[in-house]
Amino acid sequence: MIRGEHRLSRHIRGVVSGCLIGLAAAAPASADDRTTASTRPPAGDRPSLSTVVRKLTEYRTSLDRLRAAADRQLAAATDALEEKQDLHHYNVIGLEQLQESERAWSAARRQVDEVAAWIAEADSILGEAALWQQVARIAPLRLGAYEESATLIRFNGTAKWSLRVVDALQQAFSAIFNRALPLSAVGQTAVHDRIGLDHREAADVALHPDSPEGRWLMEYLRRAQVPFIAVRGAIAGSSTGAHVHIGRPSPRFAGR
C-alpha cells in the first residue's frame, strides 16, 4: 500500500515542482540574478498563482493518503517487532531475525517522519500562496488607510519599513510581554522563493491578530506608520496559521 501511495506522491510532487520552478523563473531580473532573460519561460508559459494553489491542494490531499498508509505500515512494523522481541527473549528466534524486524521498524518510522516533513512544507507553501492570491484580488488601500475584514486586517502605513527596525521591535515586545517576539520569517525564505514572492523587506510574526500580543503589535505598527497585513487564519483553501505580515504586500512574480 505504501509503495503505491509513494509513487503517486512522487508524481504529484514532480508536477508541483515544475509549476513552482516556472513561477520562480518569472521573477524580474536583479543585479545578483544569474538567470538570463533568454532562459526564462515565455510569459504565456508561466503558471498563475491560482494554478499553483490548485496543484498544491491536489498534492496536499495525496499526502493525507500517504500519511495514513505510512501510519498503518508503522503500526504493523511495531507489532511485528514486539512479537520478535518476545520470541528472542525466550530464545525461540536468533538475533539476526530480531535485527531484521528492528530495521523494518526503523524504515517505517523514517517514512512517517518524511511524510510529516512533506506535509509541513506543503502547508507552509500552500498557506502563503493562498494568502497572496486573496490579497491580489482585493483593491489596494490608499496611503495611511486601515481596514478590517473577517479574514484580514490591513494597514497601509506611510513609513518606509526596513528589516533594520526588527531589533527595536523585538526589544519593545520583550519589555512588555517578557518573551521573545515569535518571528516566523524574516526576509526572503525558501517558501517565498518557491511561490515567486518578493519577501526581502518583510517579516512574519506568528501571533493571532486578535490576541493581546497581536493587538499590541498592530497598534505599535500603526503608531510608527509601518504597513502590515494581519491574517486571522481563515484563508479559504489552506491551513494558513494566523500571523502578522510586516511590510508592504509581497509583490507577485507571476499573474493571479
Side-chain angles (χ1 to χ4, degrees):
M1 178 63 178
I2 187 69
R3 292 179 180 176
E5 293 285 359
H6 197 180
R7 284 195 296 271
L8 172 62
S9 178
R10 285 203 306 269
H11 169 70
I12 298 178
R13 281 171 67 85
V15 172
V16 174
S17 294
C19 188
L20 294 176
I21 289 171
L23 185 56
S30 60
D32 57 356
D33 187 354
R34 299 181 181 179
T35 303
T36 64
S38 62
T39 64
R40 296 186 184 281
D45 294 339
R46 297 170 185 171
S48 66
L49 198 51
S50 60
T51 299
V52 172
V53 170
R54 177 173 58 82
K55 292 294 186 181
L56 283 168
T57 301
E58 294 172 358
Y59 167 51
R60 181 62 177 81
T61 300
S62 79
L63 289 181
D64 283 335
R65 297 196 299 270
L66 186 61
R67 174 168 54 187
D71 287 343
R72 289 193 297 271
Q73 183 164 301
L74 178 59
T78 300
D79 290 342
L81 177 58
E82 291 175 350
E83 180 182 359
K84 293 293 179 63
Q85 288 172 334
D86 289 340
L87 293 174
H88 180 262
H89 177 75
Y90 292 106
N91 297 316
V92 176
I93 63 172
L95 179 61
E96 183 177 342
Q97 289 175 285
L98 174 61
Q99 290 175 334
E100 182 179 351
S101 287
E102 290 174 339
R103 288 191 292 271
W105 182 90
S106 295
R109 178 73 259 179
R110 285 193 300 273
Q111 179 70 60
V112 169
D113 293 342
E114 186 176 34
V115 173
W118 291 346
I119 288 174
E121 177 191 43
D123 283 345
S124 179
I125 297 173
L126 179 57
E128 282 292 299
L131 167 61
W132 297 111
Q133 181 186 32
Q134 175 168 323
V135 170
R137 290 172 175 166
I138 57 181
L141 291 177
R142 62 176 176 79
L143 200 61
Y146 175 87
E147 178 185 83
E148 287 199 33
S149 70
T151 56
L152 300 176
I153 302 173
R154 299 190 294 160
F155 174 61
N156 190 15
T158 59
K160 184 177 180 180
W161 161 257
S162 168
L163 291 180
R164 291 190 295 271
V165 185
V166 168
D167 287 343
L169 176 59
Q170 287 178 305
Q171 292 174 10
F173 181 87
S174 297
I176 298 295
F177 297 103
N178 296 312
R179 68 185 183 97
L181 183 69
L183 290 162
S184 56
V186 179
Q188 195 76 3
T189 70
V191 168
H192 297 104
D193 285 340
R194 293 187 66 180
I195 55 177
L197 293 175
D198 184 353
H199 200 263
R200 289 172 295 180
E201 285 298 327
D204 293 337
V205 182
L207 289 174
H208 196 292
D210 295 324
S211 68
E213 294 92 339
R215 284 291 171 185
W216 176 90
L217 175 60
M218 291 188 296
E219 183 59 29
Y220 179 97
L221 295 172
R222 290 186 70 181
R223 287 198 306 268
Q225 285 293 308
V226 173
F228 67 83
I229 296 178
V231 184
R232 285 184 158 127
I235 302 299
S238 80
S239 57
T240 301
H243 69 281
V244 179
H245 170 91
I246 306 175
R248 303 287 176 194
S250 296
R252 294 175 297 120
F253 290 156
R256 296 180 183 178

